[in-house]
Amino acid sequence: MQANVSKVLRWSAVDGPGNRLVLFLQGCNFACPGCHNPHTIGICDSCGDCVPACPRGALSLTGGKIAFDPGLCDQCDLCLRACPISASPMTESLSVADVLALLRANRPFLTGITVSGGEATVHAKFIAALFTAIGADPALAGLTRFIDSNGHLGPLGWQRLMPVTDGLMLDIKAFDPATHAALTGRDNAKSLASARIAQAAGKLYELRFLMVPGFTDSEAEIAALAAFARSLGRVRVKLNAYQHHGVQGAARDWPKMPRAGVEAAAARLRAAGVTEVVTPAVWL
Amino acid sequence: MLDGFQKLRGIVNDPALSAAQKAHALAVQAENLLPYPALDAETREALDARIICDMYEGAAPYRPRYVLADFSVVLQKGSCWLELPPPETLDEALNTLMIAYHHVPSITGMPVYIGQLDALLLPFCDGVSDEELYRKIKLFWRYIDRVLPDAFLHANIGPTDNPVARAVLRVDAELKQIAPNLTLLYDPAVSSEDLLAHAVRNITECSKPHIANHPIHAATFDEAGYGIVSCYNALPLRGGASTLARVNLREVALRSHGTEDFLGTQLPRYVELCARLMQARIDYLYDASGFFQSFLVEEGWIDADRFTAMFGVFGMAEAVNALQDMAGLAGRYGHDAGANALGLRITETLAEMVAARPMRNVWRGRAMLHAQAGLSTDSEATPGIRIAYGTEPDPVAHVQALAPQHRYYASGVSEILTLDETVKANPEAVLQLAKGAFAAGFREFTANVASNDLVRVTGYMIRLSDVARHGAGDGSRTNTTALGAEAAKLTGILSRKPRVVAQERDAGQR
């Protein structure tokens, strides 16, 4: 089984506990204007618009398919700007066996693996196969298997994933349905249900909430977050602050989230009885 | 002589120097007024061209470069020379050490080794509470930093988990001083995982301690043991190193016609010349200086037979890249398997040559290979076998690229990994990296946590300095990096490439 991978990291301190190998899987079922990795949203359809945009000649159309030569690429990312569908011509296709080999080669350095995106659960079958294979491999015993997700996956999908997953980091983009639709183009019912499913399975590692000024920093949103977190019982809530890095288009005009607002929200959550509230480790 | 007198006068009248600093500078100048130990013309020429380098140790070696006194002697027996009875309480033991340190010289004029502190102090800790121990260690730490303010001065703890090691870690993270520098000897079979985790938490707070791979070092030395001093030098305890000289591999490569000429002709030539330079200095120390007619030898603090010679190399990155260029190969050191293999081949060749060259008045009769951490004046050559600044891969790839060479550098190999600030919220990541590095064969794990570098935050990367320049909001951060002399190291590190990659900034880099 194969998956389209935007990037592999062997060193990450911000995608779950310890050092994690991170797979950024290509493709997303949300269309967030404020996405900080917009080039991971679409799936390349080999239209060829990026080929002339590359100053190094690293891209070509071969047999109707985009071909990418990483040896020529100097990471200018002009191809990403040229792409009309928020995809990337620079992804690679990895098999479960490829990822297992990567994990074995780096085993002593790793606490676990995290699949991210894009939206990881778009590749639920691949993740299930990969996580099952990791669990069955004695050389990889002890590696924890995490998913970083927007939660837009139904109960049947989680039924497949949950038994082979050790932790879920789940983003709730907004509680008010209209706000959620404006921020993502989708409804939030599935995401909220996913949090409950994961918590019931004892695998909700972290609930993440991105504070975007004018959208999700309101009293009502924070109150809804507090109520939702409390309804889950013991849960760790991570507040993130909206920034501009990587963002393309109109959302660059949205204001950045100031530190004071995040810390005030964290204080409100703690006062409301949320058991663990985490704020960003680094401020800009 | 006029020139010499002018230099002396300049020191005496320099308003920027304290009286003690003037005395030290005058001593250095006076030593260098003497003729250098006799060298043959070929060695002299290589030294003058700085293809080989004596680290500017001075013209008349009158004490070894590094002295690792066995302080257990004075703690058990006292000292006739110093008129000290054996201490009986922890206060007396600490007081005895504070006196003892002033009588152990080194190249810096201050001690570079203050001992394996837990082994030294544990016999005096019966009935001492953890809180009391903490308070006493804190005063001791403050004394060291204020009276012997030298970042090369080094304390060792471990490999066992014990109250002294814990108190030292607690005080060190709290005070964040430049001195003493600190190494934890780590042995997965003996040290607790929790002790390692404590050390790693300290690293995220103050970039100390360094963590030594104790099983590898212990196997390199003998029952009398070893210590880690100065810039990650592993040396025999109750001895040390008489001298450290080094070969500039970049300069040797630039004088070569390709890899085979380098390995077969040029490198053997300069290895021999460097050995001659070291021998001339050691001969002066042993035969002329009178250093070993000292109470330190008579009372057993040191043993004249336990001083090694450190055979240093630096500029490996430039040497490999230059040889790759000559061969028409594009692969760069640290990134390309072929270039890394060439680095390993150079190291293996060096180790063979050093092991084959007899040395007089040197522990076990042979010098010990050392990847030398550099001088502030090394502008064109990267320290030791490090990957060139600004080109380093992520920390895992970094360790994997260099690990195969580590086993050959018996007297130490200095590598510093720079980690971005996000690890402060996740020290377990650093713990895992350290365990991976040791499993891969790293002799020493050293990490600095950058506070002024690019950082990656949940999937995107930013340059904090850029953000600050554009005046964005609240920029208050704690600078966790060590002060003073360590800052000099960090200056280079801050110019290094961040080890954490961004999706959006280099999406095409696999």
Side-chain angles (χ1 to χ4, degrees):
Chain A
M1 194 172 295
Q2 304 268 329
N4 214 1
V5 177
S6 167
K7 188 159 195 71
V8 178
L9 296 181
R10 289 181 289 184
W11 168 254
S12 166
V14 294
D15 292 289
N19 178 41
R20 313 193 69 79
L21 185 131
V22 188
L23 286 186
F24 294 95
L25 303 178
Q26 184 74 19
C28 188
N29 44 21
F30 280 8
C32 307
C35 182
H36 60 246
N37 291 311
H39 65 273
T40 64
I41 295 173
I43 302 293
C44 175
D45 59 5
S46 294
C47 72
D49 285 6
C50 56
V51 173
C54 179
R56 300 289 296 261
L59 296 169
S60 57
L61 266 178
T62 311
K65 288 278 180 194
I66 285 288
F68 169 59
D69 182 347
L72 293 175
C73 176
D74 67 353
Q75 290 103 44
C76 72
D77 289 356
L78 288 175
C79 56
L80 303 181
R81 310 286 169 267
C83 180
I85 57 165
S86 290
S88 164
M90 302 182 286
T91 60
E92 59 183 330
S93 180
L94 293 183
S95 67
V96 168
D98 291 336
V99 180
L100 293 177
L102 271 173
L103 289 169
R104 286 192 204 104
N106 297 285
R107 174 65 188 94
F109 295 91
L110 297 174
T111 312
I113 179 172
T114 296
V115 288
S116 183
E119 167 49 35
T121 61
V122 168
H123 305 263
K125 280 185 187 169
F126 176 83
I127 297 171
L130 174 64
F131 282 8
T132 302
I134 292 170
D137 188 333
L140 302 178
L143 288 181
T144 54
R145 300 158 295 181
F146 275 52
I147 301 173
D148 181 355
S149 170
N150 64 22
H152 198 73
L153 181 72
L156 287 176
W158 288 121
Q159 254 178 38
R160 186 203 308 268
L161 285 176
M162 214 49 91
V164 290
T165 299
D166 297 302
L168 177 66
M169 292 171 287
L170 182 68
D171 264 288
I172 301 293
K173 303 290 188 190
F175 286 88
D176 173 60
T179 306
H180 194 275
L183 284 175
T184 70
R186 297 277 193 167
D187 183 71
N188 64 4
K190 271 188 183 173
S191 301
L192 297 174
S194 294
R196 293 197 181 93
I197 291 169
Q199 181 72 349
K203 293 179 177 176
L204 184 60
Y205 174 76
E206 187 172 271
L207 202 63
R208 294 179 168 179
F209 187 77
L210 178 66
M211 295 185 69
V212 184
F215 290 94
T216 55
D217 63 340
S218 65
E219 290 277 347
E221 280 293 319
I222 300 304
L225 172 59
F228 183 70
R230 272 213 326 272
S231 77
L232 291 171
R234 287 193 67 81
V235 66
R236 169 181 151 113
V237 174
K238 169 94 187 280
L239 293 178
N240 285 323
Y242 177 73
Q243 301 292 329
H244 288 164
H245 296 275
V247 175
Q248 300 291 319
R252 287 193 70 85
D253 296 332
W254 298 356
K256 296 191 234 179
M257 186 66 209
R259 177 177 188 167
V262 177
E263 288 184 344
R268 281 212 297 282
L269 292 173
R270 290 185 189 109
V274 177
T275 47
E276 188 183 359
V277 183
V278 181
T279 54
V282 177
W283 286 95
L284 318 173
Chain B
M1 260 341 247
L2 194 60
D3 182 43
F5 282 137
Q6 280 170 343
K7 278 186 187 167
L8 296 176
R9 185 71 70 192
I11 293 166
V12 168
N13 291 342
D14 188 340
L17 295 176
S18 71
Q21 287 165 334
K22 286 178 184 181
H24 183 69
L26 286 169
V28 170
Q29 280 305 323
E31 180 186 345
N32 288 334
L33 293 174
L34 295 170
Y36 205 88
L39 299 175
D40 63 273
E42 205 183 353
T43 305
R44 181 79 245 175
E45 193 184 333
L47 178 59
D48 289 343
R50 290 288 151 186
I51 305 162
I52 60 175
C53 171
D54 63 358
M55 303 291 291
Y56 306 94
E57 282 181 351
Y62 59 94
R63 72 290 194 218
R65 181 180 182 86
Y66 300 126
V67 179
L68 283 73
D70 182 355
F71 294 108
S72 72
V73 172
V74 68
L75 290 181
Q76 281 163 21
K77 299 188 211 160
S79 167
C80 290
W81 178 264
L82 295 174
E83 300 176 46
L84 288 173
E88 290 173 5
T89 66
L90 181 57
D91 281 335
E92 289 171 7
L94 287 167
N95 185 256
T96 299
L97 288 176
M98 285 153 69
I99 294 167
Y101 296 151
H102 278 271
H103 299 275
V104 180
S106 81
I107 193 71
T108 63
M110 294 191 188
V112 291
Y113 181 65
I114 62 168
Q116 184 72 33
L117 290 181
D118 40 13
L120 292 172
L121 295 177
L122 279 171
F124 301 93
C125 288
D126 285 349
V128 178
S129 73
D130 285 353
E131 201 53 35
E132 207 179 338
L133 182 59
Y134 157 77
R135 283 201 310 275
K136 290 179 195 299
I137 294 285
K138 190 168 170 179
L139 293 179
F140 179 63
W141 233 236
R142 208 171 259 154
Y143 163 85
I144 296 285
D145 182 67
R146 304 304 190 275
V147 178
L148 301 168
D150 188 308
F152 299 121
L153 179 148
H154 221 104
N156 290 187
I157 54 173
T160 63
D161 190 355
N162 61 72
V164 173
R166 292 290 184 151
V168 162
L169 288 172
R170 183 177 163 197
V171 167
D172 202 50
E174 182 186 334
L175 297 183
K176 299 178 172 65
Q177 300 173 161
I178 68 150
N181 212 329
L182 183 64
T183 289
L184 168 69
L185 312 184
Y186 173 70
D187 181 347
V190 175
S191 315
S192 70
E193 173 103 3
D194 194 57
L195 179 67
L196 182 62
H198 191 164
V200 163
R201 278 200 307 279
N202 275 27
I203 289 174
T204 64
E205 286 185 39
C206 63
S207 300
K208 287 196 283 178
H210 314 291
I211 304 174
N213 192 337
H214 180 65
I216 288 185
H217 287 300
T220 302
F221 294 90
D222 56 15
E223 278 181 12
Y226 72 97
I228 306 283
V229 308
S230 191
C231 294
Y232 331 106
N233 308 322
L235 297 170
L237 184 61
R238 213 168 68 235
S242 293
T243 185
L244 162 58
R246 55 182 194 158
V247 174
N248 185 335
L249 297 175
R250 172 184 181 271
E251 291 293 331
V252 178
L254 294 179
R255 284 162 174 77
S256 303
H257 307 287
T259 299
E260 297 317 313
D261 181 46
F262 175 85
L263 289 170
T265 306
Q266 302 301 333
L267 194 57
R269 173 166 181 245
Y270 289 105
V271 165
E272 170 57 25
L273 297 182
C274 191
R276 288 185 204 167
L277 172 65
M278 295 167 92
Q279 191 65 63
R281 301 186 57 78
I282 292 165
D283 286 349
Y284 189 91
L285 177 70
Y286 274 75
D287 301 338
S289 79
F291 172 79
F292 291 101
Q293 284 100 56
S294 151
F295 82 97
L296 295 173
V297 177
E298 281 163 25
E299 295 189 0
W301 298 36
I302 60 172
D303 181 338
D305 296 333
R306 292 184 61 80
F307 285 82
T308 187
M310 296 173 68
F311 193 104
V313 295
F314 70 117
M316 175 70 87
E318 289 77 15
V320 167
N321 289 342
L323 295 172
Q324 289 281 98
D325 287 345
M326 288 175 208
L329 297 170
R332 298 292 95 175
Y333 183 69
H335 296 268
D336 173 74
N340 294 345
L342 177 55
L344 178 59
R345 198 173 155 209
I346 293 170
T347 286
E348 288 167 342
T349 307
L350 281 164
E352 280 169 25
M353 290 188 290
V354 170
R357 173 62 160 81
M359 303 283 290
R360 282 185 309 281
N361 285 322
V362 165
W363 184 61
R364 290 180 169 171
R366 298 291 187 277
M368 295 175 82
L369 195 59
H370 180 69
Q372 202 276 324
L375 289 172
S376 55
T377 50
D378 295 340
S379 55
E380 292 179 316
T382 300
I385 59 166
R386 290 184 198 169
I387 299 168
Y389 292 162
T391 72
E392 306 92 331
D394 72 75
V396 172
H398 193 147
V399 168
Q400 289 170 334
L402 298 180
Q405 294 189 59
H406 270 227
R407 58 183 290 231
Y408 297 99
Y409 290 92
S411 62
V413 44
S414 161
E415 182 54 58
I416 297 175
L417 298 167
T418 304
L419 306 177
D420 78 83
E421 204 177 1
T422 59
V423 299
K424 285 184 192 177
N426 186 3
E428 195 189 345
V430 185
L431 181 74
Q432 192 70 50
L433 181 63
K435 287 159 82 174
F438 288 149
F442 253 44
R443 300 183 86 92
E444 197 106 25
F445 179 83
T446 305
N448 278 326
V449 177
S451 294
N452 194 19
D453 210 333
L454 286 170
V455 291
R456 176 169 166 273
V457 191
T458 68
Y460 57 94
M461 186 171 93
I462 45 191
R463 193 187 299 270
L464 294 173
S465 53
D466 288 352
V467 175
R469 202 175 305 129
H470 291 106
D474 191 342
S476 100
R477 285 173 289 106
T478 314
N479 187 354
T480 60
T481 52
L483 303 171
E486 277 225 315
K489 274 186 241 159
L490 284 175
T491 307
I493 282 156
L494 289 177
S495 72
R496 283 183 156 191
K497 185 179 176 186
R499 311 301 211 284
V500 185
V501 285
Q503 291 167 266
E504 71 275 12
R505 292 293 298 274
D506 61 350
Q509 190 178 57
R510 287 174 180 166

